Amino acid sequence: MFNTQKILNDFPILTRPGANGLPLCYLDSGATSQRPNQVVAAAARFYTEINANVHRGVYRISEEATEAYESAREKIRAFLNAGSTREIIFTSGTTEAINLVARSWGAKNLNSGDRVVVTEFEHHSNLVPWQMLAAEKEIVLDVIPVLDDGTLDLDVYRELLKLGPKLIAVSGMSNVLGTIPPLESMIPAAHEAGALVLVDGAQLVPHLKTDVRVLDADFLVFSGHKMLAPTGIGVLYGKETLLKEMPPFFGGGDMIRKVFLRSFTVADLPYKFEAGTKPIAQAVGLGAAIDYLNLLGMDQVAAHEHELTLRAIESLQAVPGLTIYGPLGGNRGSAVSFTIEGIHPHDIASLLDREGICVRAGHHCAMPIHDRFRIPATTRASFYLYNTEADIERLCSGLKKVVSIFA
Amino acid sequence: MFNTQKILNDFPILTRPGANGLPLCYLDSGATSQRPNQVVAAAARFYTEINANVHRGVYRISEEATEAYESAREKIRAFLNAGSTREIIFTSGTTEAINLVARSWGAKNLNSGDRVVVTEFEHHSNLVPWQMLAAEKEIVLDVIPVLDDGTLDLDVYRELLKLGPKLIAVSGMSNVLGTIPPLESMIPAAHEAGALVLVDGAQLVPHLKTDVRVLDADFLVFSGHKMLAPTGIGVLYGKETLLKEMPPFFGGGDMIRKVFLRSFTVADLPYKFEAGTKPIAQAVGLGAAIDYLNLLGMDQVAAHEHELTLRAIESLQAVPGLTIYGPLGGNRGSAVSFTIEGIHPHDIASLLDREGICVRAGHHCAMPIHDRFRIPATTRASFYLYNTEADIERLCSGLKKVVSIFA
Amino acid sequence: MDDLYREVILDHYKNPQYRGELDPHDLSFEDENPLCGDHLRIDLRVDEDGTVREALFSGHGCAISQASADLLVESIIGKKIDSLKTMTKEDVLDLLGFDELGPVRLKCALLSLKVLKGGLYGISGSDEVIDLEE
Amino acid sequence: MDDLYREVILDHYKNPQYRGELDPHDLSFEDENPLCGDHLRIDLRVDEDGTVREALFSGHGCAISQASADLLVESIIGKKIDSLKTMTKEDVLDLLGFDELGPVRLKCALLSLKVLKGGLYGISGSDEVIDLEE
Ligand SMILES: Cc1ncc(COP(=O)(O)O)c(C=O)c1O
Ligand SMILES: Cc1ncc(COP(=O)(O)O)c(C=O)c1O
């Protein structure tokens, strides 16, 4: 059984009583998650016990630091079921990872007239890098539209595949609508059409067991801070055959084999893409976060969240004037965005904050999907493993109070 | 007075007795520094008290997180005496910061045939990005040679300036030789010749008070992890007029003003260059590190280190067969690299490690300067504010033992 | 924070006195808060001696930004257009009766001032007109 | 760690038995450890039946890599060239008498094996020939 009380003990920020005597009701894990004591301690332990720079150091703590860093890489490899640690590149986050693919793979493989397909619900981080590339290299950006129920228009997707795109860049879970696109059919279809697939896993990997070999994703990117780990660390998974052919991205220490005054040769994977001193302590923290998730079991985490999400959707619909954007049921993620007739999302969030309830208001770094639904902004509640039914009750009664204030 | 004992109490990793009963003798701060309790605690406190994503959040802890993040920026601005926080860009480190300038400023301002000047002692991070740009854009890379005493050949520099370079990219302190180039004369000369100057401050900023307005540097970059702060955070300072004209680098959340499906507009400085979720807790940690340095006083730190360094150079010269590369006196940094006749640097470092002494062996990410001195590798000792004379004594008696083993 | 949604603010939001468009007008400024997509426009009719004779606002936004716009527009009627250039963030917070405000909601409260000043200085789309971080 | 610089290792470093170049030779392989710039070359003379008749190493490096080269070269003389392809990291550590080694010094110890195997398989400059991270 999923023991939320036991879990909450690991998150002191969620149990300390706030100004109104109630603990924080944190419903903004879609923006960033909280971190359990175990993760904070792992990073602190790194600093106070084995802190040193990694690789190249021959003294003991440097070797221990290297081992801690590389064993975090191995934990990630196993978590994703990747074939080799050479496929696991540490980045500063999802955004850097996508830009890396756009600039390195894209620079080499995309030419004027080539097509890249995105979706209408992409996060700006999986949209703007492709727009920048489109402007520089005159590639064509195609968009899979979103239907009224928040799912992708797969008929259009099939048509777009016929145009022979080089890459499909798609979020594994929308951070606004909670939509989980059918990657298990979209990826094979892309491959059949000769396209590679980059999965933006920023919302997917923290919440649902993700097996890169089952998915057969060519690239998968995600951030540590949305999955219990420190800020400042993220991952690019790429198939080894692809990464091998890609030119390096950042130049600097550690990504080289040899450097002369006017030329250099490149290091082997994964170091080729890891220039400079990486976020070492944060990588170790991400390893600890994965240990934590594995201990709970990703299937349990997903089941718990799914139950909460369906319960939330049901309760929210009882709030007068409230409209939810995105799927109302089925296999969907825990981001639930909504509007309330006549009340601005910022006012909703401010008023909920008085009750110690943290929700996000705005465009959630996904303006186009808001344009699609002709709304400037939404209020979003998003859940993670430490949330409980009590949180949902507080959210809904808070919203009813908001409605009455504006009545 | 500089109270090293009091300082050491803040660094538990340096006082715990190791295997041989002696505490760690950490002489590798040039690679990465140790972190005081205050910094580790500041990052941990962030996670356990106000952890939330920054900007855009209207609830209380998100506002507190934003304030903590932005006040770290203000601390850095004041530390560097920059004119505005708009000139302080958070990056993941020095390497990312240099690549940002190369790709953003360079992409816009450098064309085939344009010249960029570097030095023979640059770290790979301030060399490879320019080599990559040279290969892509056919710019010409000129090199200021290093003289036998480890200083720059300023005659050649003056000649190179006559060729009308667009940029001088120079380290403020060599991480191998300890050389501090005369920026106070080199920068005005560059400006007179119409060139901009990027100062790689990775070794400079942690050790010497750096005032960007006195220096009149156009860009200054450095890493937190070499100045008591967490890994995963660094800074790009740039003059506002320059940053304003530069195209954005990474695309993603937060660096935009508005995003449509096929276009976007760019946010104001400094956010234009801060795409995605930044290393928030690490920025807060860097703020705490700066508080710590300010409390000690950068002048005191520099004086303490300088005394230690001169003492070390004197003592090292008494070790049979030992040769030091770099200036033997004067205004020089605390990195002291050397070879010992007939003994490989790796063997030296391994044998010192048995005594709990941490030094680095290898090319220190600066192969060309090793080629210059016709050596494949050196052993490097580097000092910081927590080092003491006892550390130097241990180093020198350790080296004498090494020499006797190989005799 | 606790009086952020005082009766008077909600009143100005629900029953604004200066909501609408002026057609024709002498001056019309608009801008938005990209954070939340809020959009605000202010139309002015100005006398020959430079006095604001009529003013109305339109657009959409949260209670704070709309109440702020209603109060700001009310306050500028009858004033010399040149004197408006010296209006400050504190003036607007005074109109709203707020002591202080978090950085995000501050942008809501100051959107009306940003529109006005951006228009008067002929700049728009820039937070730098009024330094919101001050 | 404590026997890393045992007398026997220092001996092989200071007085190598198989140091030199073979000219002419049948096979010659070289590679380096980019971490520290160490460079190693191994020259072989091979019988018609594929037996290594003579072998010498040259280059420069640390005590560990040089002792390893001396011991490895000694161990392959008289062996069939094909049988060398199956030599493992453990074989080399056995020759050196090391139980285990940190990752950085491991690269020193295995440079000789890397040169040999890289040559036999016709690949050089790649750590992947022997997976050092295993
Ligand atoms: C002079 C110099 N420049 C650049 C760097 C690269 O810094 P980082 O690895 O933190 O990106 C270093 C650190 O080794 C350095 O010493
Ligand atoms: C779907 C999606 N993609 C990308 C990102 C960007 O992640 P980061 O800000 O950690 O780089 C986010 C986070 O907001 C997200 O939800």
Side-chain angles (χ1 to χ4, degrees):
Chain A
M1 242 282 305
F2 208 72
N3 186 338
T4 3
Q5 197 44 54
K6 193 153 154 283
I7 291 172
L8 278 173
N9 289 339
D10 297 327
F11 294 85
I13 196 173
L14 298 180
T15 50
R16 252 195 320 267
N20 59 358
L22 288 172
L24 209 60
C25 174
Y26 187 74
L27 301 177
D28 196 20
S29 296
T32 199
S33 72
Q34 296 301 334
R35 295 84 168 99
N37 288 333
Q38 289 86 336
V39 166
V40 178
R45 203 181 316 122
F46 178 87
Y47 288 134
T48 51
E49 292 182 10
I50 58 170
N51 179 72
N53 213 325
V54 297
H55 307 309
R56 296 186 321 261
V58 302
Y59 52 85
R60 192 181 47 78
I61 59 169
S62 173
E63 291 192 340
E64 285 175 18
T66 305
E67 195 180 306
Y69 180 66
E70 292 302 332
S71 89
R73 196 192 304 276
E74 165 56 22
K75 284 176 191 177
I76 294 160
R77 186 208 61 73
F79 191 68
L80 301 177
N81 190 29
S84 160
T85 49
R86 286 189 287 272
E87 302 183 317
I88 307 297
I89 315 285
F90 284 118
T91 69
S92 62
T94 300
T95 301
E96 181 187 323
I98 296 173
N99 280 274
L100 191 167
V101 175
R103 298 273 188 138
S104 166
W105 178 86
K108 179 157 177 203
N109 295 286
L110 294 177
N111 296 303
S112 171
D114 283 347
R115 312 183 86 91
V116 168
V117 176
V118 295
T119 83
E120 205 171 2
F121 60 48
E122 289 314 305
H123 187 279
H124 296 162
S125 288
N126 198 24
L127 199 53
V128 177
W130 307 112
Q131 292 180 349
M132 289 168 80
L133 209 60
E136 275 169 41
K137 307 197 62 163
E138 296 180 350
I139 62 167
V140 182
L141 213 56
D142 288 322
V143 182
I144 310 173
V146 168
L147 300 170
D148 286 342
D149 67 357
T151 63
L152 293 178
D153 187 334
L154 296 173
D155 293 335
V156 174
Y157 177 54
R158 272 183 291 272
E159 290 307 309
L160 290 175
L161 285 182
K162 290 183 188 153
L163 301 176
K166 287 274 164 70
L167 180 79
I168 319 299
V170 56
S171 173
M173 184 185 290
S174 160
N175 69 318
V176 177
L177 308 175
T179 313
I180 298 175
L183 295 179
E184 64 289 351
S185 63
M186 288 176 74
I187 293 177
H191 287 163
E192 217 158 285
L196 298 183
V197 181
L198 175 145
V199 176
D200 172 357
Q203 298 290 338
L204 177 66
V205 175
H207 299 282
L208 281 183
K209 166 123 207 64
T210 307
D211 183 316
V212 288
R213 280 193 277 188
V214 168
L215 270 184
D216 200 20
D218 300 291
F219 298 108
L220 172 76
V221 298
F222 57 97
S223 298
H225 71 92
K226 294 190 202 279
M227 55 188 287
L228 311 180
T231 51
I233 184 82
V235 170
L236 162 63
Y237 157 85
K239 286 184 183 162
E240 190 171 349
T241 46
L242 294 170
L243 293 176
K244 238 182 177 150
E245 298 302 319
M246 282 159 56
F249 178 49
F250 280 167
D254 285 334
M255 54 69 74
I256 53 87
R257 172 174 290 275
K258 293 187 99 175
V259 177
F260 307 95
L261 273 175
R262 286 189 179 73
S263 67
F264 66 96
T265 57
V266 175
D268 291 330
L269 287 174
Y271 310 108
K272 171 167 131 181
F273 294 110
E274 294 189 353
T277 303
K278 300 305 291 182
I280 307 169
Q282 293 73 41
V284 172
L286 176 53
I290 285 178
D291 288 342
Y292 192 92
L293 289 168
N294 282 336
L295 214 64
L296 291 179
M298 282 305 287
D299 289 342
Q300 303 286 324
V301 168
H304 171 74
E305 281 181 31
H306 196 243
E307 199 185 311
L308 274 189
T309 305
L310 295 188
R311 172 74 53 115
I313 289 175
E314 193 191 319
S315 308
L316 285 170
Q317 285 174 310
V319 176
L322 188 146
T323 307
I324 293 174
Y325 299 85
L328 296 179
N331 182 27
R332 59 108 73 211
S334 66
V336 183
S337 297
F338 56 86
T339 55
I340 298 179
E341 177 92 55
I343 314 183
H344 193 282
H346 269 183
D347 294 324
I348 297 173
S350 276
L351 284 163
L352 289 179
D353 179 44
R354 290 192 188 183
E355 318 277 329
I357 304 165
C358 307
V359 296
R360 193 144 286 246
H363 53 62
H364 320 304
C365 291
M367 284 193 183
I369 193 63
H370 285 83
D371 289 345
R372 151 72 179 82
F373 285 105
R374 294 175 200 287
I375 41 176
T378 52
T379 307
R380 180 184 72 186
S382 52
F383 310 107
Y384 206 12
L385 46 87
Y386 36 65
N387 289 117
T388 63
E389 292 201 8
D391 291 327
I392 291 170
E393 278 160 32
R394 282 176 68 184
L395 171 66
C396 291
S397 66
L399 287 173
K400 282 172 191 156
K401 209 159 153 185
V402 172
V403 170
S404 75
I405 288 175
F406 274 85
Chain B
M1 243 282 305
F2 208 71
N3 186 338
T4 3
Q5 196 45 56
K6 193 153 156 283
I7 290 172
L8 277 173
N9 289 339
D10 296 329
F11 295 84
I13 195 172
L14 298 180
T15 49
R16 251 196 319 270
N20 58 358
L22 289 172
L24 210 60
C25 173
Y26 187 75
L27 302 178
D28 196 19
S29 296
T32 199
S33 71
Q34 296 300 333
R35 297 86 170 97
N37 289 333
Q38 289 85 336
V39 166
V40 178
R45 202 181 317 120
F46 178 87
Y47 288 134
T48 51
E49 292 181 12
I50 58 170
N51 178 73
N53 213 325
V54 296
H55 306 309
R56 296 186 321 261
V58 302
Y59 51 87
R60 192 182 46 79
I61 58 168
S62 173
E63 291 190 341
E64 285 175 16
T66 305
E67 195 181 306
Y69 180 67
E70 292 301 332
S71 88
R73 197 192 303 278
E74 165 56 22
K75 284 176 192 177
I76 294 160
R77 185 208 62 72
F79 191 67
L80 301 177
N81 191 29
S84 159
T85 49
R86 286 189 288 272
E87 302 183 317
I88 307 297
I89 315 285
F90 283 119
T91 70
S92 61
T94 299
T95 302
E96 181 186 322
I98 296 174
N99 279 273
L100 191 165
V101 175
R103 298 273 189 139
S104 167
W105 178 85
K108 181 160 177 204
N109 295 286
L110 293 177
N111 295 304
S112 172
D114 283 347
R115 312 184 85 91
V116 168
V117 176
V118 296
T119 83
E120 206 171 3
F121 60 49
E122 289 314 305
H123 187 279
H124 295 161
S125 289
N126 199 25
L127 198 52
V128 178
W130 306 111
Q131 292 181 349
M132 291 168 80
L133 209 61
E136 274 169 40
K137 307 197 66 166
E138 297 180 348
I139 62 167
V140 182
L141 212 56
D142 287 323
V143 181
I144 310 174
V146 168
L147 299 172
D148 286 342
D149 67 356
T151 62
L152 293 177
D153 187 335
L154 296 173
D155 292 335
V156 174
Y157 176 54
R158 272 184 290 272
E159 290 307 309
L160 291 175
L161 285 181
K162 290 184 187 152
L163 301 176
K166 289 274 164 69
L167 180 78
I168 318 299
V170 56
S171 173
M173 184 185 291
S174 160
N175 68 318
V176 176
L177 308 176
T179 313
I180 299 175
L183 296 179
E184 64 290 351
S185 62
M186 288 176 74
I187 294 177
H191 287 164
E192 217 159 283
L196 298 182
V197 181
L198 175 144
V199 176
D200 172 357
Q203 298 291 340
L204 177 67
V205 175
H207 300 281
L208 282 182
K209 168 123 206 64
T210 308
D211 182 316
V212 289
R213 280 192 276 187
V214 169
L215 270 184
D216 199 21
D218 300 290
F219 299 106
L220 171 76
V221 298
F222 57 97
S223 298
H225 71 93
K226 293 189 204 278
M227 54 187 286
L228 311 181
T231 52
I233 185 82
V235 170
L236 163 63
Y237 158 84
K239 286 184 182 162
E240 189 171 352
T241 45
L242 293 170
L243 294 176
K244 238 182 177 150
E245 298 302 318
M246 280 158 57
F249 178 48
F250 280 168
D254 285 334
M255 53 67 74
I256 54 88
R257 172 173 291 274
K258 293 187 97 174
V259 177
F260 307 95
L261 273 174
R262 286 189 180 72
S263 66
F264 66 95
T265 57
V266 174
D268 291 331
L269 287 174
Y271 309 109
K272 170 168 132 182
F273 293 109
E274 296 189 352
T277 303
K278 300 306 291 181
I280 307 168
Q282 292 74 40
V284 172
L286 177 53
I290 286 178
D291 288 342
Y292 191 93
L293 289 168
N294 282 337
L295 216 64
L296 290 179
M298 283 305 286
D299 289 341
Q300 303 286 325
V301 168
H304 171 75
E305 281 181 33
H306 195 244
E307 199 185 311
L308 274 189
T309 305
L310 295 189
R311 172 74 53 114
I313 289 175
E314 193 190 319
S315 309
L316 284 170
Q317 286 175 308
V319 175
L322 189 146
T323 308
I324 293 173
Y325 299 87
L328 295 180
N331 181 27
R332 60 107 74 212
S334 65
V336 183
S337 298
F338 56 86
T339 55
I340 299 180
E341 178 91 53
I343 314 181
H344 193 282
H346 270 184
D347 294 323
I348 297 173
S350 276
L351 284 164
L352 289 179
D353 180 45
R354 289 193 189 182
E355 318 278 327
I357 303 165
C358 307
V359 296
R360 193 144 287 246
H363 53 62
H364 320 304
C365 291
M367 285 193 182
I369 193 63
H370 285 82
D371 289 346
R372 151 74 180 83
F373 286 104
R374 296 177 198 284
I375 40 176
T378 50
T379 306
R380 181 185 72 186
S382 52
F383 311 108
Y384 206 13
L385 46 87
Y386 35 66
N387 289 117
T388 63
E389 293 202 7
D391 290 327
I392 291 170
E393 279 159 31
R394 282 178 67 185
L395 170 67
C396 291
S397 66
L399 286 173
K400 283 173 190 156
K401 207 159 154 184
V402 171
V403 170
S404 75
I405 288 176
F406 274 85
Chain C
M1 194 67 174
D2 254 21
D3 53 0
L4 199 55
Y5 292 92
R6 290 193 324 280
E7 210 47 57
V8 50
I9 300 293
L10 289 171
D11 242 29
H12 279 282
Y13 175 60
K14 293 185 208 166
N15 310 301
Q17 302 300 305
Y18 295 91
R19 196 178 173 90
E21 300 184 6
L22 288 175
D23 194 12
H25 50 246
D26 299 305
L27 291 169
S28 176
F29 313 140
E30 55 191 312
D31 205 343
E32 61 198 355
N33 179 348
L35 228 57
C36 48
D38 289 358
H39 189 103
L40 193 73
R41 171 172 148 186
I42 298 179
D43 295 343
L44 304 179
R45 281 191 191 133
V46 183
D47 274 349
E48 272 158 34
D49 71 347
T51 306
V52 176
R53 190 158 38 89
E54 281 177 83
L56 290 179
F57 78 95
S58 54
H60 56 86
C62 63
I64 310 297
S65 77
Q66 299 288 295
S68 157
D70 203 43
L71 287 158
L72 179 121
V73 163
E74 175 176 47
S75 82
I76 65 176
I77 293 173
K79 295 230 175 91
K80 291 275 196 233
I81 199 99
D82 268 350
S83 73
L84 301 182
K85 289 193 180 179
T86 59
M87 269 191 93
T88 64
K89 161 180 149 182
E90 283 69 32
D91 293 336
V92 177
L93 291 183
D94 277 354
L95 286 173
L96 286 159
F98 294 155
D99 285 341
E100 54 164 10
L101 217 50
V104 172
R105 302 316 308 270
L106 190 63
K107 294 207 178 184
C108 305
L110 297 185
L111 178 58
S112 56
L113 182 63
K114 185 178 156 194
V115 169
L116 183 70
K117 287 206 152 186
L120 293 174
Y121 285 97
I123 317 164
S124 88
S126 171
D127 282 344
E128 289 162 41
V129 177
I130 37 170
D131 196 334
L132 294 174
E133 312 301 335
E134 258 169 22
Chain D
M1 195 65 173
D2 254 22
D3 53 1
L4 200 55
Y5 292 91
R6 288 193 324 281
E7 210 47 57
V8 50
I9 300 292
L10 290 170
D11 241 28
H12 279 282
Y13 174 61
K14 293 186 208 164
N15 309 302
Q17 302 300 304
Y18 296 90
R19 197 180 172 88
E21 301 185 5
L22 289 174
D23 193 12
H25 50 246
D26 299 306
L27 292 169
S28 176
F29 313 141
E30 56 192 311
D31 204 345
E32 62 196 355
N33 180 347
L35 228 59
C36 47
D38 289 358
H39 188 102
L40 192 73
R41 172 173 147 186
I42 298 180
D43 295 343
L44 304 179
R45 282 192 190 133
V46 183
D47 274 347
E48 270 160 34
D49 71 345
T51 305
V52 176
R53 191 158 38 90
E54 283 177 82
L56 291 178
F57 78 94
S58 54
H60 56 85
C62 63
I64 310 297
S65 77
Q66 299 288 295
S68 156
D70 203 42
L71 287 159
L72 179 121
V73 163
E74 174 176 48
S75 82
I76 64 176
I77 293 173
K79 292 229 176 95
K80 291 274 197 233
I81 198 103
D82 269 350
S83 73
L84 302 181
K85 289 195 178 176
T86 59
M87 270 191 92
T88 64
K89 161 180 149 182
E90 283 69 32
D91 293 334
V92 177
L93 292 182
D94 278 354
L95 286 173
L96 286 159
F98 294 157
D99 285 342
E100 54 164 12
L101 218 49
V104 173
R105 300 319 306 270
L106 191 62
K107 295 206 177 184
C108 305
L110 297 185
L111 177 58
S112 56
L113 182 63
K114 186 178 155 195
V115 169
L116 184 70
K117 286 206 152 186
L120 293 174
Y121 285 97
I123 316 163
S124 87
S126 170
D127 283 344
E128 288 163 42
V129 178
I130 38 170
D131 197 332
L132 295 174
E133 313 300 337
E134 256 169 22

